[in-house]
Amino acid sequence: MNWRKPVLLLVDELIRHDDAYRRSRQLERFYRQPHTAQLRAQQDALRDLLHHAVTHVPYYASLLKQHGVLGGSGQADVHRLRAMPPLTKDVIHAQGDNLHSDDLQQRKWYRNASGGSTGQPVRLLQEADYHQWAIGTRLMHQRRIGMDLGETYMQLWGSDRDIMTGSVGWRAKLSNFLRNRTFMNCFKMSQDDMQRYAERILAKRPAILQGYVDCLYELGRYIIAQGIRMQWVGAVITSAGTLFPHMRETIAHAYNAPVFNHYGSREMGGIAFETNDHSGLMVNLFTHYVEVVNAAGQPCAAGEEGDVLVTSLRNYAM
């Protein structure tokens, strides 16, 4: 019996005023709509974001008008976005507060930063409403692949900062107990660690095991080499790296579970997820606008490789 679900709904919705679970249900209804309706809603959200940016964000106030994205009537021509330069780390560092919305006092927001894997971390502001949609999206996808609120979730993660935030202190420990979460640090993973993690997975029987793809792969190789037989892992979600075909095969075999790829970032949240039919990644149209472009900034043809440009549609803190 999953006693945690009603307790978590009580704690989150009535005490913490957290409505991520309600939003996850709203997202399920959204993605049951015809694809054309989803795209129309995405375009409306993008226009609303652009109108807010040109009204409240100094950096974009001139840039959007300069490139003709917003005309005198205030209507957005989203196709002209391709003429604009992408927002790079250099621009973020140079512009600073010019990228912040001037109506922050009307919003609940918090500070975040990238992992800094490619150099100096990018520091940014994110709106609390964006955070709720991000959690709601994660809950929706977890439920789609077989995990309901309060069921066992295990994470094999390689970020010391995330592990410390998520597991140290009595509040974190109480939250993890209620939410049935277990964190395993793979930043430095010895053979003793791998043996301990394998035993922990066997004992806890997670509905979902999520982790850095490289860590899941290396632990999976150890499990196979040691002849450990995994049972009762519902699904494995791979993150934070490229899931190559040979890695998918090893991970699926080691954990005896279907594998689902996930594409996202600390700055943008969950951008795309693999679905149950394993036919590719589903872009989260409600929360993100995604383009794959070539060196000239034009959309790539089907099968053509390019750069991924992502706009978060639900973050108004800028």
Side-chain angles (χ1 to χ4, degrees):
M1 177 181 177
N2 181 11
W3 59 266
R4 285 179 167 87
K5 182 175 179 178
V7 172
L8 286 170
L9 290 174
L10 174 67
V11 170
D12 287 344
E13 296 183 352
L14 297 182
I15 298 176
R16 298 179 63 245
H17 303 290
D18 182 332
D19 64 348
Y21 192 78
R22 179 188 62 79
R23 296 187 191 210
S24 74
R25 292 297 190 188
Q26 182 178 338
L27 287 166
E28 286 185 347
R29 293 191 294 272
F30 174 83
Y31 289 113
R32 284 197 293 268
Q33 295 182 96
H35 188 64
T36 52
Q38 296 177 33
L39 289 175
R40 284 196 300 270
Q42 183 195 48
Q43 292 292 308
D44 290 342
L46 179 58
R47 290 189 176 92
D48 289 345
L49 179 69
L50 292 172
H51 187 267
H52 172 270
V54 79
T55 306
H56 295 286
V57 183
Y59 173 74
Y60 285 114
S62 60
L63 196 65
L64 287 167
K65 293 177 182 177
Q66 175 187 341
H67 290 278
V69 178
L70 283 180
S73 64
Q75 292 298 310
D77 182 354
V78 297
H79 298 294
R80 291 183 177 269
L81 276 175
R82 298 185 184 120
M84 289 180 56
L87 184 64
T88 64
K89 290 184 178 181
D90 289 340
V91 173
I92 293 172
H93 291 313
Q95 291 296 324
D97 290 349
N98 287 332
L99 285 163
H100 295 170
S101 171
D102 65 10
D103 64 347
L104 282 177
Q105 68 277 6
Q106 302 174 24
R107 306 176 182 278
K108 293 182 179 179
W109 56 274
Y110 59 97
R111 298 185 186 275
N112 200 355
S114 67
S117 58
T118 58
Q120 185 180 357
V122 175
R123 304 192 183 281
L124 62 152
L125 307 183
Q126 290 178 327
E127 193 175 7
D129 189 66
Y130 155 85
H131 184 61
Q132 289 293 296
W133 283 119
I135 297 175
T137 299
R138 185 171 70 242
L139 291 173
M140 178 196 69
H141 282 277
Q142 288 176 347
R143 191 161 51 245
R144 281 189 170 192
I145 62 176
M147 174 184 160
D148 203 356
L149 190 67
E151 293 185 323
T152 307
Y153 171 84
M154 301 185 75
Q155 193 173 70
L156 184 67
W157 214 238
S159 168
D160 277 342
R161 184 175 79 182
D162 291 343
I163 294 293
M164 291 292 290
T165 302
S167 60
V168 174
W170 69 266
R171 286 187 178 87
K173 292 177 180 177
L174 176 60
S175 178
N176 289 335
F177 170 74
L178 287 176
R179 299 179 191 284
N180 208 359
R181 296 184 305 208
T182 298
F183 294 97
M184 298 174 291
N185 193 342
C186 65
F187 182 71
K188 294 180 180 179
M189 191 167 60
S190 67
Q191 286 208 347
D192 288 343
D193 292 328
M194 288 191 281
Q195 181 63 36
R196 187 169 67 254
Y197 293 164
E199 292 173 357
R200 194 175 297 175
I201 295 167
L202 276 168
K204 287 188 171 291
R205 300 181 174 185
I208 286 180
L209 171 64
Q210 182 168 2
Y212 278 31
V213 60
D214 290 335
C215 298
L216 288 166
Y217 175 66
E218 290 302 325
L219 179 57
R221 291 179 62 196
Y222 176 84
I223 288 170
I224 293 171
Q226 296 299 312
I228 300 171
R229 297 192 62 185
M230 284 290 172
Q231 296 178 345
W232 306 111
V233 176
V236 179
I237 300 177
T238 61
S239 306
T242 302
L243 177 64
F244 293 102
H246 73 278
M247 300 173 82
R248 179 190 290 272
E249 182 180 354
T250 296
I251 291 170
H253 175 56
Y255 303 102
N256 192 26
V259 179
F260 296 86
N261 199 7
H262 165 261
Y263 177 62
S265 71
R266 195 186 303 272
E267 303 95 310
M268 289 290 179
I271 298 168
F273 294 82
E274 188 172 354
T275 57
N276 281 309
D277 61 7
H278 299 282
S279 61
L281 296 177
M282 183 191 87
V283 174
N284 291 322
L285 298 178
F286 185 88
T287 53
H288 294 83
Y289 181 75
V290 178
E291 290 184 293
V292 181
V293 300
N294 58 27
Q298 296 303 308
C300 289
E304 182 184 359
E305 292 187 2
D307 294 323
V308 179
L309 299 183
V310 183
T311 300
S312 174
L313 300 176
R314 304 294 163 179
N315 183 26
Y316 280 64
M318 297 292 178

